[in-house]
Amino acid sequence: MTQWDVLKSLDTAYLEQVQDLYSLDRLPMDLRQFLAEWIESQDWNLAKRDPQVARVTFQNLLEHLNNQYSRFSHDQAILEQHNIRKIKQDIQACYQESPTEFAKLILFFLEKERNIISAAKDAEQSLTEQTPHAILETPRHKEIEQRVMEVKQKVQAIDQDVKSLEEQQEIFDFRYKNYQAQVSSNQAVQHQLKNVLQSMLNTLDRSRKVYFSSHQEILARLKELLGRCETLVRFLEEELGEWCQRQQDACIGRSLDVSLSHLETWFTGTAEAFFQLRRILNDLVELPAKISYENDPLRTDPVILQARVNELITCLLKRAFVVEDQPNQLYQPCMSPPWPRPLVLRTSVRFSVSTRLLVKLQELNHSLKVTAAIDNNAMTTKGYRKFNIMGTLDKMLSMDNVLKKGMVAEFKHLTLKEQRAGVGGKGSKGINEVLVTEELHVMNFTVKFKYQDLELELEATTLPLVIISNVGQQSSAWASVIWFNLLATDTKNLAFFSNPPAATWARLANALSWQFSCATNRGLDSEQLSMLAEKLCGTNPKPRPESLVKWSRFSKESMPGLAFSFWTWFDGVLHLVKAHLENIWNDGYVMGFVCRATERSLLKRKRTGTFLLRFSESCKEGAVTFSWVDHQETDKPTVRSVQPYTKQDLANIPFVEILHSYQILADENIPENTLLYLYPDTPKDEAFSKYYLSNNRENIEEYRKYMKRRLIMISERPPDMMPPLQLNEGEDMEPTDIEIPEPPDFSVLSLMTGPDDPMMPVFKFENGDDLY
């Protein structure tokens, strides 16, 4: 069963995601349908790396389209024939000269399809494992659950008591009317009925007084219950506030559970009890309208309690309307990064957002309309940009989403368009000379709540957004999102960056680690964070958890001796890892954030050939290098490094292949393998062999007709290039004792076509076949 067949068998909600994916108009769904099996059988990763493979694969795809065209022509399927011809013409026009881009496009769509399938499987497993009584996570959750049940039970008990009062009053009312009908006809009967009615009235009065004379009386119980309800609402508000904080942290990369299932259960149960209590009080208010007497407590107290209940319901409902999924741009292959970065929106690029009402009542399904807007309370400062939202701005709250199963309104395919009238515009500065990437906006959602005889207007707002107009602003905008959600105490403070607070290193370190754990499966360890702390806080004094980092130091000011900021460098490294080093990063093989002096301190006492992988400190867009230790005749350690490899370099050859085939020319130009043991002492092939291309035999037969080639990475070793690091016996150099500049470029990529050169290594399979 192909991946495409699995997709087609998913539930409606996931099929909509597939339709959304292919609505990007970058890959025709008909092409995916017609050639599903063939597309999934190709090695698009290899095609992405090798232009020749990409060209062959692209020509094969065109040939398959020709075959499909002929089959439709034979079947007289004119419409399908027309579609095939147009698909072929379109992809030839776009990708004939750049087949590797087409391979990247196919990889993107296949990966997104796998994500949809994975999400569907996870949801199915979650539903399977779900039990009727979910295990609560904390003692506080248990207390809230207990209070909700207690309130519902007490309301139900009071409801029964009030119904008993109503029944007694109805019986009295019925007999009183009979008495009035018979009183003029028979004086004896009149006297008898009057005595009966008096007795009944006395009984009714005693019943009311019983209820209102002790701690068991209805009004006293109602007052006590309302006090507990107020406490419960306060607990729910605190729990919702903690969820909002978790959502903020999750938006900037922290792995947290932001499910609303518990809150929805508690809010719904509480609201149901409140509405029942509200009905009870309405009934109590109506009782004296039929029968009352002097000093009747039902004339005054229920009215006061009604106001308190209405206040509690209003407070509960206004907090129950939330933005469940913050605005998130729909990712496109031409835009980076390929992992979620919500709250950064680019004009004219589609995004989605969803709201949720935590009071889930069946009677409200499809009856409440949510309306979206932006910047309802916009800043009026000169230069502050204004935007229009394009798309469907009205959605009904419904329970149709099979995954969320709540009162949800999802807004999909929205876009933003800047208003051109007046001052401001692209590139303009906002409030107090704040840059565009520091200018904050919010989306507003309103819903007119109507249930029973209660009408309210509920409002929810997103977290502040940063709106950009080009991809180049995305990194800086994301830095602003991180800083705001890490430090803002008021999420509606749109002037935050007019005077941004400093961050403690302890908090900032967590956020930096989240960036890696979100993009990959591995965060930053204490040693890596220590190196970053020194870059941001300096070394004198030594950085401490409470050390402060200013916003300008983090994102705006250039680092000493360099022409770019810390964040620009850090984000460049993150993109490099995600695009080219993710597998070996997740395996823990990339030490990464380690300064050159510390690197030499670690390697100096290791055996010859021990190497480690670190990120360049001087490359703006991120680069990776390796350094190894060598012992000459004097047995003194020399630490050598190769010029860092950038994203452009690694787009042509995988980094593990560089490690695999790297050699250095020793005396008399004899190649020498210098990378033997990954720090601290893991043999190189033991660590990296599973990623070598020579261990991948897929599609090799397709390239048998080509001339052999051999690939090898070579560095020359001029005698005066890097003098050995001399250490006296017993001397222990600290990382801060030495500062060595980045070495010059002495890496060479050699492509040899002759099969007889003994210096050129060839990738070999176990059966003797060559890889070429």
Side-chain angles (χ1 to χ4, degrees), residues 458-644:
L458 311 181
E459 182 179 1
T461 59
T462 65
L463 293 171
L465 315 170
V466 178
I467 303 175
I468 61 177
S469 56
N470 61 72
V471 177
Q473 297 170 323
Q474 195 168 51
S475 180
S476 296
W478 182 242
S480 299
V481 169
I482 292 174
W483 204 262
F484 180 91
N485 288 284
L486 201 63
L487 300 174
T489 55
D490 178 9
T491 58
K492 296 183 180 180
N493 178 19
L494 301 185
F496 176 83
F497 283 104
S498 62
N499 185 24
T504 62
W505 167 244
R507 297 194 68 181
L508 187 57
N510 288 332
L512 294 177
S513 182
W514 297 342
Q515 304 314 298
F516 271 85
S517 59
C518 175
T520 68
N521 293 330
R522 190 182 187 91
L524 302 178
D525 60 32
S526 59
E527 295 299 324
Q528 293 165 330
L529 290 171
S530 177
M531 183 266 201
L532 297 177
E534 292 181 358
K535 278 196 167 294
L536 282 171
C537 305
T539 57
N540 189 18
K542 186 177 180 180
R544 301 174 60 86
E546 61 273 15
S547 298
L548 294 179
V549 180
K550 293 183 178 180
W551 164 242
S552 56
R553 175 88 177 200
F554 176 74
S555 178
K556 302 176 75 171
E557 298 174 357
S558 296
M559 291 188 291
L562 299 172
F564 48 87
S565 67
F566 170 87
W567 172 256
T568 299
W569 168 72
F570 180 88
D571 202 34
V573 169
L574 179 58
H575 280 74
L576 176 81
V577 170
K578 180 63 179 178
H580 302 290
L581 307 174
E582 184 172 6
N583 288 334
I584 60 176
W585 171 266
N586 288 337
D587 290 340
Y589 296 151
V590 182
M591 188 172 291
F593 294 109
V594 53
C595 66
R596 292 187 291 277
T598 302
E599 166 193 76
R600 286 161 175 75
S601 177
L602 294 174
L603 291 175
K604 65 185 180 182
R605 301 198 185 282
K606 291 295 180 180
R607 53 182 167 174
T608 295
T610 301
F611 68 99
L612 57 79
L613 312 178
R614 68 172 178 86
F615 302 129
S616 168
E617 299 177 59
S618 58
C619 182
K620 177 179 179 180
E621 296 184 353
V624 63
T625 184
F626 46 82
S627 302
W628 68 94
V629 64
D630 186 17
H631 294 79
Q632 302 300 315
E633 292 80 359
T634 60
D635 200 32
K636 296 296 183 180
T638 300
V639 176
R640 303 186 185 277
S641 299
V642 70
Q643 182 181 0

Side-chain angles (χ1 to χ4, degrees), residues 47-265:
K48 180 184 72 171
R49 294 190 299 265
D50 191 331
Q52 187 62 41
V53 176
R55 192 170 293 108
V56 171
T57 307
F58 188 76
Q59 293 301 323
N60 287 342
L61 180 136
L62 296 179
E63 186 63 30
H64 277 79
L65 286 177
N66 286 336
N67 296 338
Q68 193 73 32
Y69 177 89
S70 300
R71 181 159 57 252
F72 284 137
S73 178
H74 180 267
D75 294 339
Q76 301 298 317
I78 299 176
L79 180 59
E80 287 82 355
Q81 181 182 351
H82 169 77
N83 290 342
I84 288 290
R85 182 168 59 245
K86 187 176 186 305
I87 289 172
K88 181 181 176 183
Q89 292 172 349
D90 289 345
I91 66 172
Q92 278 186 299
C94 293
Y95 300 105
Q96 184 75 52
E97 300 302 323
S98 55
T100 55
E101 293 301 317
F102 184 75
K104 293 178 183 178
L105 181 70
I106 294 292
L107 279 173
F108 164 75
F109 276 89
L110 291 176
E111 177 65 22
K112 288 297 180 182
E113 289 177 5
R114 285 192 287 269
N115 291 344
I116 294 173
I117 293 174
S118 177
K121 290 182 178 178
D122 290 344
E124 182 180 357
Q125 182 178 0
S126 177
L127 290 175
T128 302
E129 295 176 353
Q130 187 175 4
T131 59
H133 302 286
I135 299 176
L136 299 177
E137 300 175 358
T138 66
R140 181 176 179 178
H141 289 177
K142 293 180 180 179
E143 182 179 1
I144 293 176
E145 178 80 8
Q146 182 178 356
R147 281 182 176 267
V148 172
M149 294 182 63
E150 181 182 358
V151 166
K152 294 175 73 173
Q153 291 171 357
K154 286 181 176 293
V155 169
Q156 189 65 31
I158 292 176
D159 194 12
Q160 294 298 323
D161 291 339
V162 171
K163 286 179 179 178
S164 175
L165 276 179
E166 289 177 335
E167 290 175 0
Q168 290 187 49
Q169 183 163 303
E170 287 175 0
I171 293 172
F172 176 82
D173 185 57
F174 174 76
R175 293 189 177 180
Y176 182 74
K177 289 178 180 179
N178 286 341
Y179 164 76
Q180 287 181 324
Q182 302 177 26
V183 70
S184 60
S185 59
N186 190 321
Q187 290 294 326
V189 172
Q190 176 185 355
H191 182 72
Q192 182 180 1
L193 287 176
K194 184 177 180 179
N195 292 335
V196 171
L197 286 173
Q198 185 61 52
S199 176
M200 290 184 63
L201 182 60
N202 293 339
T203 302
L204 180 62
D205 182 55
R206 283 196 302 272
S207 297
R208 288 189 178 185
K209 288 181 178 178
V210 165
Y211 284 119
F212 305 132
S213 62
S214 66
H215 292 292
Q216 285 75 36
E217 64 190 25
I218 290 181
L219 290 180
R221 289 159 60 194
L222 282 172
K223 291 177 182 178
E224 179 188 2
L225 178 58
L226 285 176
R228 300 188 69 82
C229 289
E230 290 174 350
T231 303
L232 176 57
V233 170
R234 187 171 65 252
F235 282 174
L236 292 178
E237 287 180 332
E238 293 173 357
E239 191 67 27
L240 184 60
E242 292 182 6
W243 175 85
C244 291
Q245 183 60 60
R246 290 199 304 272
Q247 187 187 49
Q248 280 188 267
D249 289 348
C251 281
I252 58 175
R254 187 178 182 184
S255 178
L256 287 171
D257 178 16
V258 290
S259 168
L260 287 167
S261 57
H262 282 336
L263 278 169
E264 183 182 70
T265 299

